[in-house]
Amino acid sequence: MLIAGLTGGMACGKSFVAGALRDLGAHIIEADELGHQVIAPDGEARAAVLAAFGETDRAKLAAAVFGKPAELAKLNAIVHPAVRARARRIAEEIGAREPHAVVVYVAAILIESGGMDGLSRIIVVTCTREQQLARALERPGATEESVLARLEHQMPVAEKVARADYVIDSSGTKEETLRQTKMVMEELRKLAS
């Protein structure tokens, strides 16, 4: 089994690439989805988040920690280990069923959160900053001010690219992004077998 990490900047096309990898046969584990699960009523991080922040609503938590590095670090120290533990369990279950599986762990802040342990390869999805802004503004409730603020707080894409084994540039057509994604998946399949 091979476990790869998939990351990139906000609105760079991670979800599109993850969907394409799924269609090509990869098992996708979404860190964001696991983040919801670990603070859900039966989640292993819920009690600690409630104790620290008095809240588990993700929008309210995001507002409470945005622009406050110490508070964000406190929240991440609670949530990220629980997310990574769930991801490991899921990957182990997949590996037990399919020893040559390709598993892709999708995490927006994979590198920043130190979530690279146990990953055989890192895939970074990129596009131009102008495209990031335009794509992010298509999301419900997004404003230029809020998008620019979030972009300013993210690790520069160039830093992520420096750590990448594969870079998928999504600034062209969807077909071109799919072509690059297929090439990466072929490489991952070879490594997994």
Side-chain angles (χ1 to χ4, degrees):
M1 177 178 67
L2 178 134
I3 305 174
L6 174 65
T7 193
M10 179 174 71
C12 276
K14 289 180 300 297
S15 296
F16 179 78
V17 170
L21 289 167
R22 178 181 284 118
D23 292 346
L24 293 167
H27 296 270
I28 304 299
I29 301 173
E30 294 271 0
D32 192 53
E33 184 180 308
L34 298 181
H36 285 277
Q37 294 172 9
V38 301
I39 62 171
D42 61 343
E44 55 272 38
R46 183 178 181 85
V49 170
L50 276 171
F53 296 94
E55 182 65 63
T56 59
D57 178 271
R58 286 175 54 109
K60 290 178 182 173
L61 284 170
V65 302
F66 187 75
K68 300 174 189 161
E71 291 298 295
L72 178 60
K74 182 169 42 168
L75 179 61
N76 288 345
I78 297 167
V79 174
H80 289 174
V83 167
R84 285 194 289 269
R86 273 196 185 217
R88 263 192 308 280
R89 285 193 304 272
I90 293 167
E92 288 167 2
E93 291 167 8
I94 293 166
R97 291 189 316 266
E98 295 179 49
H100 300 291
V102 172
V103 176
V104 178
Y105 179 61
V106 183
I109 58 170
L110 176 71
I111 296 167
E112 302 92 309
S113 69
M116 295 171 32
D117 289 345
L119 302 177
S120 300
R121 295 290 184 271
I122 302 295
I123 307 161
V124 174
V125 184
T126 67
C127 67
T128 68
R129 185 155 175 100
E130 294 77 22
Q131 285 173 311
Q132 278 185 282
L133 180 59
R135 291 173 182 177
L137 284 172
E138 292 174 7
R139 296 177 177 170
T143 65
E144 187 168 349
E145 182 181 338
S146 68
V147 169
L148 288 171
R150 288 188 63 195
L151 286 172
E152 289 304 314
H153 281 87
Q154 289 190 342
M155 174 186 277
V157 174
E159 285 185 43
K160 293 183 182 203
V161 166
R163 303 241 182 124
D165 296 292
Y166 306 102
V167 177
I168 297 175
D169 181 355
S170 72
S171 60
T173 64
K174 286 186 176 183
E175 291 74 20
E176 178 58 22
T177 302
L178 287 171
R179 185 190 66 74
Q180 294 172 68
T181 303
K182 286 177 185 173
M183 289 174 56
V184 169
M185 184 62 181
E186 287 172 17
E187 289 294 316
L188 297 177
R189 272 199 193 105
K190 286 178 194 171
L191 292 168
S193 58

